Amino acid sequence: MTIDECKIIELPKISDPRGNLTFIEGDRNIPFAIRRAYWIYDVPGGEIRGGHSYRTLQEIIIAVSGSFDVVVDDGNNKRVFSLNRSYYGLYVPSMIWRDLENFSTNSLCLILASDIYSEADYVRDYGKFRAMKGQV
Ligand code: TYD
């Protein structure tokens, strides 16, 4: 898995003078069925979330409100995705290291995941991650 597999998915946007609406349907707009949603909020200035990869989990990361950066890393190359639109989702497959940083005040990060929470699926040691990716 390389960072080339990470991609922005433009979600449907129903524009309406009463306010816009966006939706996601698992296995339709995104390449997996959604088994869990969680969200990150009230992030103090300068804090960094993430700092791990998953062995099998796939995710979609959305800046529902505000903005933040997602740094993806396949052990060889890195890329920064700046998210600031509520109708863009960033697809991050398994075995990609990610850091979430530069959260704006009152930003809201929604994450849709392909499975329920399992600590055993995390790789939290960067050296181990690189070794698993075949990098020394
Ligand atoms: P973690 O995934 O490390 O946070 P980050 O969003 O920065 O990557 O999770 C932080 C803590 O929350 C950790 O103790 C595990 C717990 N947690 C759950 O219990 N359920 C969940 O769905 C998630 C995402 C985390």
Side-chain angles (χ1 to χ4, degrees):
M1 206 58 81
T2 72
I3 53 167
D4 291 340
E5 317 292 324
C6 299
K7 57 176 190 256
I8 295 286
I9 296 175
E10 185 163 354
L11 301 167
K13 179 181 177 189
I14 313 294
S15 297
D16 191 310
R18 300 172 302 158
N20 300 328
L21 182 151
T22 285
F23 59 90
I24 290 185
E25 295 175 329
D27 272 334
R28 296 188 71 177
N29 312 97
I30 59 172
F32 59 84
I34 299 163
R35 289 204 68 202
R36 175 168 52 118
Y38 62 96
W39 44 101
I40 297 170
Y41 52 97
D42 292 348
V43 179
E47 288 293 342
I48 298 177
R49 300 290 316 213
H52 53 73
S53 75
Y54 301 107
R55 295 169 198 272
T56 64
L57 196 75
Q58 305 171 70
E59 288 188 332
I60 297 286
I61 304 175
I62 304 167
V64 175
S65 183
S67 63
F68 51 85
D69 294 336
V70 184
V71 184
V72 293
D73 177 349
D74 58 18
N76 206 20
N77 292 299
K78 293 186 186 193
R79 186 170 165 192
V80 181
F81 289 92
S82 295
L83 299 182
N84 58 8
R85 293 282 181 272
S86 44
Y87 52 89
Y88 284 153
L90 174 63
Y91 172 67
V92 184
S94 57
M95 287 307 294
I96 297 289
W97 193 270
R98 86 288 312 280
D99 287 308
L100 281 69
E101 57 192 36
N102 291 329
F103 286 88
S104 67
T105 304
N106 290 330
S107 55
L108 173 57
C109 169
L110 173 65
I111 301 183
L112 305 171
S114 61
D115 211 343
I116 59 171
Y117 171 74
S118 165
E119 185 61 34
D121 197 52
Y122 282 71
V123 183
R124 292 190 183 274
D125 182 276
Y126 189 69
K128 183 177 174 186
F129 168 74
R130 295 228 338 143
M132 290 170 77
K133 300 293 276 187
Q135 310 289 328
V136 277

